Amino acid sequence: MSRRVSISTLGCKTNQFESAAMQERLQQAGYTIVPFAQAADLVIVNTCTVTAATDAQSRNIIRRARRLNPACRVVVTGCYAQVDPDALAALPEVSLILGNEEKHDFLERLESLSPFSETVTVDVSDIETVRSARVPTLISYAERSRAYIQIQNGCDAYCSYCIIPYARGHSRSVAVDQVIEQVKRLVAQRFHETVLTGIHIGAYGLDLSPPDSLLSLLRRIETETDLLRLRLGSIEPNEIHPELIEAIATSRIICPHLHIPLQSGDSAVLKRMNRHYTGDDFRQLIAAIVAAIPDISLGLDLITGFPGETDAEFNNTLALVESLPISSLHVFPFSKREGTPAATMPKQIPQQIARERAALLRALSDQRQQEYARSFVGKTVEVVVEQSRQNANQKGMTRHYLPVSFQGAGIQAGDLVQLEVERFDANGLVGRLLD
Ligand code: SF4
């Protein structure tokens, strides 16, 4: 009888990629993947620890898994397992805890686990000692129309609020040839768009011998593969050099969409965050990007309520963001992470104030998202079809990272189609399929 397993994943695209890889290995080993709500013999929870809320969500999923399947085994991995295995080992529901490195041979560790063991097994090594980027290669992407490729892991920036370097270790890159091979494999499977992900993709290649760079990787993907669309995951502002802007502006395949963590627009706050640019540097960067690619989609990350953030400092952030041609904001109230310098900084800001400031920025983001989407009405766009639906109500994603609904029969997920954008209504952009 095949064994039923469900996988729950929290957090970033890198965690999503690693879960997709675990799912693939399980299927190859004869397991049946079932949705979380269905009965399972094994539940894997791939956790995130970027905020206190994700820790709580992880614990909640673990408890629900056991309630749903009293006899199942619960395996917990991911960043929460890496930085705080003891907290998870204290949960009676948990059978096995694996670190982010041990995640790569989870199947072997799982199958060596005694099925009747009542005690929890903790298998978490020191991630700081890991130097090579063991990244699973994925053969397929069952549920997706766009594929992710993890090109890098870890981070050496140590922003003062961030727990990720302690969960993911030092920055390490996947060999260029391995990435190219992965792109070719996905193109052969009709994936027209690939998203390059990692924890700190701007640092890609610096650790390779000889050292390489994200820019040269992008150029090689464009010249050595038949990929039609390439999207960049989140990239740090001080790693967006003029050559990279030029490459995006002149590329046949790189999507005109950047997701950039700004975090704060106030230079004193940025200094306390251990981020190495000023509000003015950021303004000049955005001006250079927009000069080269006028209709680019710009999404920014922002943290509100960082320790010591005064009203004046927050207003500097608001004023900077209001002055920039952004298309969306991802706003996070500061979340104190034990073990980070910011957790012990003086003048911690009440969560209520952090949330109020976040609400102001989110309102601005909603307004800008609508304005940016409306600017495409009347234009022709190319979309990757997200899911194919029987009832001909389709949805696709543009190169500028905008979802567009349209009518179209006989269309498959992953297809590339041309649309004329007819209007923007309560459901967003609506287009008409062009022949
Ligand atoms: S760059 Fe900063 S925020 Fe991003 S993962 Fe590294 S330490 Fe965290």
Side-chain angles (χ1 to χ4, degrees):
M1 190 193 65
S2 94
R3 295 155 291 175
R4 298 157 304 172
V5 55
S6 74
I7 303 178
S8 291
T9 309
L10 292 104
C12 65
K13 289 191 175 101
T14 299
N15 235 19
Q16 310 278 345
F17 180 92
E18 291 165 348
S19 284
M22 287 193 276
Q23 173 170 328
E24 202 166 272
R25 288 204 60 208
L26 286 158
Q27 285 166 316
Q28 287 160 354
Y31 284 78
T32 304
I33 307 295
V34 297
F36 183 78
Q38 267 186 39
D41 308 296
L42 171 68
V43 174
I44 298 177
V45 184
N46 191 4
T47 63
C48 168
T49 195
V50 82
T51 65
T54 54
D55 285 1
Q57 285 161 22
S58 301
R59 293 192 299 273
N60 187 6
I61 290 173
I62 291 165
R63 293 195 182 98
R64 279 175 48 221
R66 174 67 80 188
R67 272 201 308 278
L68 277 169
N69 314 277
C72 83
R73 283 183 296 166
V74 178
V75 174
V76 182
T77 187
C79 295
Y80 188 12
Q82 182 67 47
V83 298
D84 199 352
D86 297 345
L88 293 165
L91 301 177
E93 295 86 356
V94 177
S95 314
L96 174 63
I97 298 170
L98 296 176
N100 271 327
E101 192 58 13
E102 289 70 29
K103 190 192 277 182
H104 297 296
D105 354 283
F106 77 100
L107 205 48
E108 294 73 13
R109 293 167 196 274
L110 181 64
E111 295 191 339
S112 67
L113 197 66
S114 124
F116 310 104
S117 158
E118 287 304 311
T119 55
V120 60
T121 301
V122 179
D123 203 342
V124 177
S125 62
D126 176 2
I127 196 86
E128 294 280 312
T129 61
V130 179
R131 291 300 173 166
S132 70
R134 284 178 67 193
V135 166
T137 51
L138 266 175
I139 307 299
S140 73
Y141 251 94
E143 294 106 28
R144 291 182 184 279
S145 59
R146 300 177 298 124
Y148 294 135
I149 293 184
Q150 184 181 348
I151 62 169
Q152 183 272 351
N153 203 344
C155 180
D156 294 311
Y158 292 94
C159 301
S160 62
Y161 53 83
C162 186
I163 193 77
I164 297 170
Y166 309 95
R168 291 269 172 185
H170 294 290
S171 179
R172 43 208 197 277
S173 308
V174 177
V176 178
D177 292 341
Q178 197 182 335
V179 176
I180 299 287
E181 272 324 297
Q182 182 100 7
V183 171
K184 287 181 176 169
R185 230 195 319 267
L186 291 165
V187 168
Q189 285 177 58
R190 284 189 69 255
F191 282 97
H192 300 308
E193 177 174 318
T194 286
V195 184
L196 298 185
T197 78
I199 299 296
H200 194 150
I201 66 170
Y204 178 81
L206 302 180
D207 59 301
L208 294 175
S209 168
D212 212 312
S213 72
L214 178 64
L215 183 59
S216 107
L217 175 67
L218 297 177
R219 290 198 172 121
R220 284 196 54 187
I221 292 174
E222 181 140 8
T223 52
E224 296 175 27
T225 78
D226 298 327
L227 184 66
L228 296 174
R229 288 168 47 144
L230 182 63
R231 194 177 300 278
L232 293 180
S234 175
I235 183 166
E236 291 294 318
N238 37 13
E239 281 142 11
I240 304 175
H241 308 301
E243 299 77 18
L244 183 60
I245 297 172
E246 172 66 14
I248 298 170
T250 56
S251 169
R252 178 180 46 76
I253 68 171
I254 304 174
C255 294
H257 165 220
L258 284 174
H259 182 168
I260 313 173
L262 167 60
Q263 307 304 24
S264 173
D266 179 85
S267 302
V269 174
L270 287 167
K271 204 163 174 30
R272 297 199 299 276
M273 286 178 164
N274 190 31
R275 293 183 66 78
H276 308 295
Y277 52 89
T278 65
D280 238 24
D281 295 336
F282 196 83
R283 186 194 306 282
Q284 287 167 33
L285 171 67
I286 298 298
I289 293 172
V290 173
I293 316 156
D295 67 350
I296 190 165
S297 170
L298 290 171
L300 309 183
D301 285 347
L302 284 160
I303 293 174
T304 59
F306 186 78
E309 186 185 59
T310 61
D311 288 345
E313 288 174 338
F314 173 69
N315 290 336
N316 287 340
T317 296
L318 195 54
L320 174 66
V321 174
E322 277 170 345
S323 72
L324 298 174
I326 52 108
S327 25
S328 66
L329 300 173
H330 304 253
V331 187
F332 308 91
F334 172 73
S335 177
K336 193 161 84 170
R337 306 309 299 145
E338 294 313 326
T340 64
T344 54
M345 280 182 186
K347 302 184 188 151
Q348 296 279 328
I349 305 292
Q351 272 297 298
Q352 183 50 36
I353 292 178
R355 281 198 288 272
E356 284 163 12
R357 290 173 180 171
L360 288 172
L361 288 167
R362 288 178 181 142
L364 174 63
S365 179
D366 294 347
Q367 178 204 331
R368 290 296 181 81
Q369 279 180 48
Q370 292 200 16
E371 287 165 9
Y372 185 67
R374 284 180 201 285
S375 71
F376 285 81
V377 173
K379 294 189 178 161
T380 296
V381 295
E382 172 205 73
V383 299
V384 168
V385 178
E386 297 279 292
Q387 289 113 18
S388 56
R389 300 195 175 113
Q390 301 317 317
N391 60 11
N393 292 327
Q394 310 290 358
K395 197 158 210 152
M397 186 63 82
T398 72
R399 283 174 174 265
H400 293 79
Y401 211 50
L402 290 167
V404 185
S405 311
F406 65 99
Q407 295 290 310
I411 287 180
Q412 303 305 313
D415 286 356
L416 270 184
V417 298
Q418 299 290 324
L419 304 176
E420 182 194 340
V421 179
E422 292 182 315
R423 65 182 184 280
F424 177 88
D425 64 21
N427 303 316
L429 288 174
V430 179
R432 179 175 59 81
L433 190 59
L434 299 174
D435 300 336

